[in-house]
Amino acid sequence: MCLLCEGVTSAMSQQEKTAKTSLVINSPYAMPCQHWQFHYAHGEGIQKTLTAGRRPSGYRIASSRVSPAQSAQDMGVFVPIPLVETIRERVVAWREGGYRGATGVTRRLLRHWTDERIPRQHRFFFCQLEAIETLIWLMEAPENQAHCSVSIPMDGALRRLCSKMATGTGKTILMAFVIVWQLLNRVDDPKNKRYAKEILVVAPNLTVKERLNVLNPKHPENIYGLSRKDALRLNDPRQERRDRDGVFYLVPRGLREQLTQGKVHIQNWHQLQWDDEAKIRARKSVDKRGPLSDDAYVRDVLGLDMAYARDIVVLNDEAHHAWRMPEEMKEKSLRGEDKKQAEEATQWIRGLERLHHARNVLCCYDFSATPYIPSLQGKTESLFPWIVSDFSLNDAIEAGIVKTPRAVVRDGTGVDTKTYRPRFEHLYDNDEVKNDLNRRAKPEEELPFLVTDAYATLARDWHATLTRWQAAKALTPPVMISVVNRTETAARVEHMFKENQIGTEALGEPDKMLRIDSHVLEKMDKTHGEALLRRKVSTIGKKGKEGAAIHNVIAVNMLSEGWDAQTVTHIMGLRAFRSQLLCEQVIGRGLRRSSYEVDEETGLYTPEHVDVFGVPFSFLPCEEGDDLRAGMFEPLCSVAYMPERSDKNITWPRVQRINVSYRPSLALEDVTPLTIDAATIPKIVELAPKVDNQPDLSDVKAIDIRQLGQSTRMQTLFFKTAKSLYREITSHGEWPGHEMDLVSQLVRLVGDFLLSPQFRIKPQAFHDDPAMCRAVIYLRRTQIMRHIQNALRLGKSADSYDIIVDKELGSTEDTYPYRTSKACDVGKKTPISCYVYDSTWEQRAAALLERHEGVVAWVKNGKQVGFIIDYVYQGVVKHYFPDFLARLTCGKTLIIETKGIKTEESEAKKQALELWVAAVNAHGGYGVWASAQAGDESAIHDVLATHCESLGKV
């Protein structure tokens, strides 16, 4: 079974544990195996049923001819997307068939992206991998080129393919997949014009554009994990390590250089605007120029790097902003927001057409959570007809990839007589509220009681969340966001908070409240003010950034694509919601999860929630309950590497494979001491010329035997003695192994003996004199050789290791910052800000490592740290993360696995760990390593006493 489909059967039993209490029922890393079906039961209201199989692709629209009394129970009409269903089946078959027809580069990328051995922060989601597989299948699968091809509508002259993915499911990663796939295939085969070497990424606003800069391989903070060498070659002024590398590992190491040969240009959609009549008139008043030529227009759009690019690929982020105005819309006079939306969408798509006409756009890849084409006044919507893959918000909620929204089902005020729904569910739809919010009121005028009551209720719950987070010492506060209809309403809401009219003073603190509307922007400095506001908005919930302290955001239709924060816990909607598209977009601002840790018991994500007032998302799943606070995710601890503790950094070789061979070995057994008497060796020899058989002592030449030792290295003596031994052994045909292996062992044994206490020279002064010692060994090497030969024994076969490692070392420095709801603690000897423990036993073990004098540095290992060892259990290759690494005063690095109960699998892990240590030590290039398994605190104490030079005080 393929990696993307694995676990579907076993997950069923695990997910039964959560079926009654949570909407999260599927693994985010495997194909969905079940889904919820909702239906109305008379007398019981809306009921849900757990149904086997994947949720069909499609969306719901409101039923027609439904009375107001019936609308609260209306489940809408499901509109399927048959094209997606057809493609899904064929992509599954293609995947299970080994990606037949894919290029060599593509196969390598797909294997790399699905390889679980790579220590990413977390695996790529199934929805991300399925989406890129679909786009690749449409181009490379042979079935698609024959009778099984599918018909995908064109958008005029443009070929567009849309990947529909819910907010928070990782569209940026998918875009990076497409860039890597396109560029590497074109570099590998420069004549293959199916692929592009230049890619244009179009963003819907400046906030998104800044965030998408990571897609450029030449950007200092690129998402691909280019090495430091690559960064220096690209003139990266910061010269820092790429911590994103340890998170994603998007590109195999051997292909990163090729990736920089391509070009990626990120541009805001406004740059696509062509010269309409108003623009030409405005310019003629200055320089009398007419419309720009196609070539000049393209150069403006593509920038200097890609000014003359041809056969390009376009990636449209939030592509629901790029569509053609339907015929029925052209016939009507649009006003206000509808008119502005239609004009912007037309400018975007017409700009791409002009680009295609001038330079040939191979394909436009669209990415959107809501790829709808709105119709007249937003009453009905239709999907893009070129959608080829779909992972909806419902799918994302059931996989736990996003937070589960919680809606109001009872509010204690009865139901609205018009909609028969709770009043807090859609506040704006109440006539009294709507009329009041649509007038030009002053900021100090009070809001309707229904609105203030709703705010008071939501604010009390927000404050309870803030109290829990502060008690747990959370680094940033929970965030409430309000999306209102107009600037006057925003001013009134801001005044309400400042005057503490709802009893929650914390939400009204000026330095922690952020209002975003056109009136605020008008009062700001256009250069610095707007930039600061944008930075504050984009850094909400991020420690140490401009927006870290913000916990109340009030916006007038300004919380669009590109803004979201992991710490959003409450949403208030005070505007018209005429479409499910708009509901999903607003709720999407608070759907991003805070923690991506899998529950070990269920194999699923732990549910997180966002509480929503005023947004009537009728056709989205939501958890209901009287207690809105129940199940709110707990405050999180931020775990990150601390550069100021670089002296506590621990490194290790990234071992990919260990090849074990067997060879005969020699050993010295029962070797007796050997003492050489230097008195029998001349120290200085004097020579003089002789005449008439008599020496002329006036001309004496002295030869000092020490000079022989000074000109000879000890290693040379080892080799010469070993050479004599080699001749003796091979002359009798006694060695069963490889001759070079014999030489290496003899050199080692000779060296060990001559440097051991078993070998002495007397008097001691001669032994202590290095030059004299070497001279004596040189002159008596035959005697030494015979002595060693008498003690040589052919021992049993011993393991020999050949390890395959990455060029770059693993390091605690590569630990990527993450947030966790698990129990945490801090230490001074660990390079990580805080360590996560899964049991009190692990906590005690960490405390012992922290205070032991024999420990220089230690780290609690995990997926984010990335020290991984492969092992085989029941014929399957698995990998695990040993619990602790500790660097000791004696220079060793100790690997500690804390296990209390022995099982077959724990023994398999132990054997793999011992093999890893033996192989790395045999290599000799990565220091000295040791391993131990400890069942309790005293066992760790004994392990440290054994491996440290001195126990020290504890």
Side-chain angles (χ1 to χ4, degrees):
M1 185 177 294
C2 69
L3 286 174
L4 295 184
C5 301
E6 68 178 358
V8 173
T9 303
S10 61
M12 293 291 288
S13 59
Q14 295 173 336
Q15 293 156 2
E16 289 174 357
K17 300 177 182 179
T18 61
K20 295 182 180 180
T21 59
S22 171
L23 292 177
V24 180
I25 53 175
N26 291 317
S27 167
Y29 306 122
M31 182 186 298
C33 58
Q34 52 190 344
H35 64 281
W36 290 111
Q37 280 191 340
F38 290 82
H39 59 92
Y40 175 74
H42 184 70
E44 298 180 1
I46 302 296
Q47 301 294 310
K48 63 180 181 181
T49 303
L50 191 60
T51 306
R54 186 171 182 180
R55 176 183 294 277
S57 174
Y59 67 110
R60 289 187 178 275
I61 60 175
S63 304
S64 58
R65 300 176 183 177
V66 174
S67 67
Q70 294 173 322
S71 63
Q73 292 82 39
D74 177 33
M75 296 305 301
V77 177
F78 181 75
V79 180
I81 310 178
L83 178 61
V84 170
E85 290 293 330
T86 300
I87 292 176
R88 274 181 182 174
E89 295 178 2
R90 297 180 184 176
V91 169
V92 169
W94 184 60
R95 180 192 307 139
E96 294 176 346
Y99 303 116
R100 187 162 63 90
T103 68
V105 170
T106 299
R107 287 175 182 271
R108 183 174 177 184
L109 290 174
L110 290 172
R111 286 196 303 268
H112 178 75
W113 293 334
T114 56
D115 189 349
E116 294 185 36
R117 296 172 299 175
I118 297 175
R120 299 182 174 97
Q121 184 181 15
H122 56 74
R123 295 161 53 188
F124 295 123
F125 296 140
F126 166 80
C127 58
Q128 295 170 324
L129 294 169
E130 182 189 48
I132 187 60
E133 284 180 336
T134 300
L135 298 179
I136 294 173
W137 176 82
L138 288 166
M139 180 180 290
E140 298 187 12
E143 291 87 353
N144 186 51
Q145 299 168 6
H147 63 281
C148 292
S149 62
V150 293
S151 177
I152 301 175
M154 297 282 288
D155 184 17
L158 293 173
R159 181 171 184 253
R160 300 178 67 180
L161 301 175
C162 179
S163 299
K164 181 174 177 286
M165 292 179 64
T167 298
T169 55
K171 290 192 292 294
T172 304
I173 292 293
L174 176 56
M175 297 169 73
F177 280 162
V178 174
I179 290 171
V180 171
W181 166 56
Q182 285 281 327
L183 293 185
L184 291 184
N185 270 288
R186 183 61 184 266
V187 171
D188 182 69
D189 187 3
K191 295 184 179 180
N192 191 340
K193 292 191 176 182
R194 294 193 302 171
Y195 307 98
K197 201 173 181 179
E198 290 89 11
I199 294 178
L200 172 66
V201 181
V202 185
N205 55 51
L206 292 176
T207 300
V208 175
K209 179 180 181 294
E210 291 176 2
R211 195 163 67 183
L212 292 182
N213 281 330
V214 298
L215 293 175
N216 186 347
K218 298 182 181 180
H219 191 271
E221 297 182 358
N222 69 83
I223 202 172
Y224 309 101
L226 293 178
S227 67
R228 182 180 297 185
K229 177 181 177 182
D230 295 326
L232 291 173
R233 183 180 56 76
L234 298 171
N235 297 319
D236 176 6
R238 304 192 330 170
Q239 301 182 15
E240 0 181 274
R241 297 178 66 92
R242 295 292 168 266
D243 54 7
R244 290 180 179 272
D245 180 23
V247 183
F248 303 120
Y249 284 101
L250 281 166
V251 186
R253 295 185 185 279
L255 297 179
R256 292 181 181 178
E257 178 68 25
Q258 291 90 313
L259 188 67
T260 61
Q261 297 180 34
K263 295 179 180 178
V264 178
H265 185 62
I266 295 94
Q267 192 62 274
N268 192 23
W269 77 271
H270 291 87
Q271 197 66 29
L272 293 174
Q273 296 182 56
W274 67 92
D275 289 340
D276 55 17
E277 293 182 4
K279 198 172 180 181
I280 295 173
R281 285 197 301 269
R283 192 169 58 230
K284 279 187 174 181
S285 64
V286 179
D287 58 12
K288 309 300 182 184
R289 287 187 300 167
L292 291 176
S293 66
D294 283 353
D295 197 54
Y297 169 80
V298 169
R299 287 198 300 271
D300 281 352
V301 172
L302 297 182
L304 295 177
D305 282 351
M306 292 173 48
Y308 300 99
R310 296 194 60 83
D311 301 322
I312 65 175
V313 159
V314 175
L315 308 186
N316 292 316
D317 192 21
E318 308 296 354
H320 53 271
H321 293 295
W323 43 269
R324 299 175 190 277
M325 189 180 297
E327 291 299 325
E328 68 271 18
M329 190 178 291
K330 294 178 181 179
E331 297 173 0
K332 302 293 183 179
S333 176
L334 299 180
R335 295 177 298 174
E337 187 177 334
D338 287 336
K339 181 179 180 181
K340 179 182 178 183
Q341 184 181 12
E343 289 176 348
E344 291 179 352
T346 304
Q347 290 172 348
W348 187 326
I349 196 65
R350 289 280 299 276
L352 292 179
E353 281 188 324
R354 191 170 183 181
L355 185 65
H356 174 62
H357 176 73
R359 297 295 171 83
N360 184 34
V361 174
L362 296 176
C363 185
C364 291
Y365 292 102
D366 294 345
F367 306 91
S368 173
T370 53
Y372 298 97
I373 301 175
S375 188
L376 184 62
Q377 298 298 316
K379 295 299 183 182
T380 59
E381 301 157 346
S382 59
L383 284 172
F384 287 178
W386 47 85
I387 295 175
V388 294
S389 65
D390 178 22
F391 199 80
S392 67
L393 181 54
N394 293 332
D395 294 317
I397 291 173
E398 290 170 344
I401 299 176
V402 299
K403 293 175 184 172
T404 302
R406 286 193 295 206
V408 179
V409 293
R410 289 175 292 275
D411 56 23
T413 65
V415 296
D416 189 287
T417 56
K418 184 174 67 173
T419 63
Y420 288 82
R421 293 178 180 272
R423 288 181 172 87
F424 286 179
E425 183 184 15
H426 192 184
L427 291 161
Y428 186 85
D429 211 31
N430 180 277
D431 288 338
E432 179 184 349
V433 172
K434 182 187 300 183
N435 294 334
D436 186 272
L437 297 186
N438 276 300
R439 62 187 180 89
R440 295 184 178 276
K442 296 180 180 180
E444 59 271 17
E445 293 188 40
E446 293 186 354
L447 292 162
F449 287 138
L450 188 62
V451 174
T452 56
D453 289 347
Y455 265 116
T457 305
L458 197 61
R460 282 197 297 271
D461 188 65
W462 175 90
H463 191 269
T465 304
L466 175 67
T467 302
R468 292 198 303 275
W469 286 30
Q470 288 176 337
K473 299 180 180 179
L475 299 176
T476 55
V479 177
M480 175 190 290
I481 60 176
S482 300
V483 181
V484 303
N485 63 328
R486 55 192 293 161
T487 57
E488 290 86 354
T489 304
R492 294 169 71 186
V493 172
E494 181 184 36
H495 183 268
M496 175 196 69
F497 281 119
K498 286 182 177 179
E499 296 298 319
N500 193 22
Q501 296 176 2
I502 57 174
T504 306
E505 186 176 358
L507 284 170
E509 297 180 37
D511 58 334
K512 297 181 180 179
M513 181 166 54
L514 196 62
R515 176 180 155 201
I516 313 170
D517 60 43
S518 57
H519 285 185
V520 173
L521 294 176
E522 287 173 1
K523 298 177 183 179
M524 286 185 171
D525 177 84
K526 293 300 181 184
T527 303
H528 303 289
E530 290 188 21
L532 177 61
L533 178 63
R534 190 178 298 113
R535 286 199 303 273
K536 280 188 176 181
V537 172
S538 61
T539 57
I540 290 175
K542 297 180 180 179
K543 177 188 174 184
K545 302 295 185 179
E546 290 89 342
I550 300 296
H551 52 212
N552 188 2
V553 180
I554 307 165
V556 181
N557 303 331
M558 300 287 282
L559 292 181
S560 57
E561 292 81 11
W563 188 92
D564 50 46
Q566 292 179 312
T567 52
V568 172
T569 57
H570 298 77
I571 296 177
M572 175 68 78
L574 286 180
R575 59 154 295 161
F577 290 95
R578 296 174 301 183
S579 68
Q580 287 303 303
L581 183 153
L582 185 56
C583 292
E584 188 168 335
Q585 287 177 344
V586 171
I587 293 172
R589 302 313 104 211
L591 290 179
R592 196 170 298 275
R593 289 183 62 94
S594 297
S595 173
Y596 291 88
E597 294 177 346
V598 175
D599 187 302
E600 295 181 0
E601 184 179 356
T602 64
L604 308 177
Y605 278 159
T606 302
E608 295 183 3
H609 302 91
V610 56
D611 291 342
V612 184
F613 280 22
V615 183
F617 47 107
S618 306
F619 306 124
L620 304 180
C622 59
E623 289 189 352
E624 303 173 348
D626 295 321
D627 185 3
L628 292 175
R629 292 170 301 198
M632 177 67 69
F633 61 88
E634 291 301 315
L636 301 168
C637 173
S638 291
V639 184
Y641 173 76
M642 303 178 70
E644 62 270 23
R645 295 187 185 175
S646 58
D647 59 320
K648 305 299 181 185
N649 191 37
I650 299 176
T651 61
W652 59 87
R654 290 173 171 168
V655 178
Q656 297 296 320
R657 187 171 71 252
I658 300 176
N659 297 325
V660 183
S661 59
Y662 298 91
R663 58 184 173 87
S665 64
L666 288 172
L668 292 177
E669 296 182 5
D670 301 325
V671 61
T672 58
L674 173 63
T675 301
I676 296 178
D677 187 357
T680 62
I681 300 175
K683 315 304 182 294
I684 298 177
V685 178
E686 295 181 333
L687 296 86
K690 272 192 172 185
V691 177
D692 196 15
N693 204 30
Q694 296 297 319
D696 180 9
L697 297 180
S698 64
D699 186 14
V700 176
K701 175 184 178 183
I703 301 177
D704 189 346
I705 198 66
R706 294 181 75 259
Q707 294 177 349
L708 179 62
Q710 290 173 345
S711 62
T712 306
R713 296 173 59 248
M714 184 65 80
Q715 193 70 20
T716 302
L717 297 175
F718 296 166
F719 275 103
K720 287 183 177 296
T721 308
K723 184 178 181 180
S724 300
L725 276 170
Y726 172 79
R727 289 173 178 171
E728 286 292 323
I729 293 173
T730 55
S731 64
H732 296 88
E734 297 176 356
W735 180 250
H738 195 279
E739 292 181 353
M740 290 305 296
D741 188 31
L742 173 60
V743 172
S744 64
Q745 291 194 54
L746 288 174
V747 171
R748 176 178 55 82
L749 290 173
V750 170
D752 291 346
F753 175 74
L754 292 177
L755 297 177
S756 73
Q758 297 289 84
F759 174 73
R760 307 305 300 170
I761 299 174
K762 66 176 186 179
Q764 185 64 33
F766 282 47
H767 191 95
D768 295 339
D769 184 338
M772 197 64 195
C773 179
R774 290 196 293 269
V776 171
I777 293 174
Y778 186 90
L779 295 172
R780 293 293 183 266
R781 65 180 184 276
T782 301
Q783 180 183 353
I784 295 170
M785 180 269 291
R786 296 297 182 189
H787 187 83
I788 293 175
Q789 185 181 11
N790 291 334
L792 278 177
R793 299 291 184 272
L794 184 62
K796 296 180 180 180
S797 296
D799 291 340
S800 174
Y801 311 99
D802 178 25
I803 60 174
I804 309 300
V805 298
D806 283 353
K807 292 182 180 179
E808 297 182 12
L809 293 175
S811 173
T812 52
E813 190 178 359
D814 294 329
T815 302
Y816 189 75
Y818 70 101
R819 298 161 66 86
T820 178
S821 57
K822 292 184 176 181
C824 298
D825 211 337
V826 296
K828 295 182 179 179
K829 291 184 180 180
T830 176
I832 309 303
S833 58
C834 56
Y835 59 90
V836 181
Y837 53 88
D838 298 317
S839 65
T840 55
W841 160 215
E842 286 189 355
Q843 184 185 25
R844 292 196 302 271
L848 177 58
L849 292 172
E850 178 66 27
R851 67 177 184 266
H852 199 288
E853 290 185 356
V855 177
V856 177
W858 67 274
V859 67
K860 174 66 173 66
N861 188 37
K863 290 185 178 179
Q864 289 75 19
V865 175
F867 178 66
I868 186 173
I869 292 180
D870 290 343
Y871 69 101
V872 179
Y873 180 65
Q874 295 182 347
V876 179
V877 177
K878 299 184 177 183
H879 37 269
Y880 84 106
F881 300 84
D883 295 319
F884 294 95
L885 296 178
R887 181 152 46 86
L888 309 181
T889 54
C890 61
K892 291 181 181 178
T893 303
L894 180 62
I895 308 170
I896 303 174
E897 180 73 7
T898 56
K899 294 297 180 185
I901 302 176
K902 287 187 177 181
T903 63
E904 290 184 2
E905 188 164 8
S906 69
E907 285 300 306
K909 291 181 180 180
K910 178 182 178 182
Q911 293 174 10
L913 177 58
E914 292 174 346
L915 174 62
W916 189 96
V917 170
V920 172
N921 284 338
H923 180 277
Y926 302 105
V928 180
W929 290 75
S931 66
Q933 284 195 332
D936 53 33
E937 189 173 354
S938 63
I940 290 188
H941 191 284
D942 293 341
V943 166
L944 293 174
T946 301
H947 290 282
C948 292
E949 287 182 333
S950 60
L951 177 62
K953 295 182 179 180
V954 179

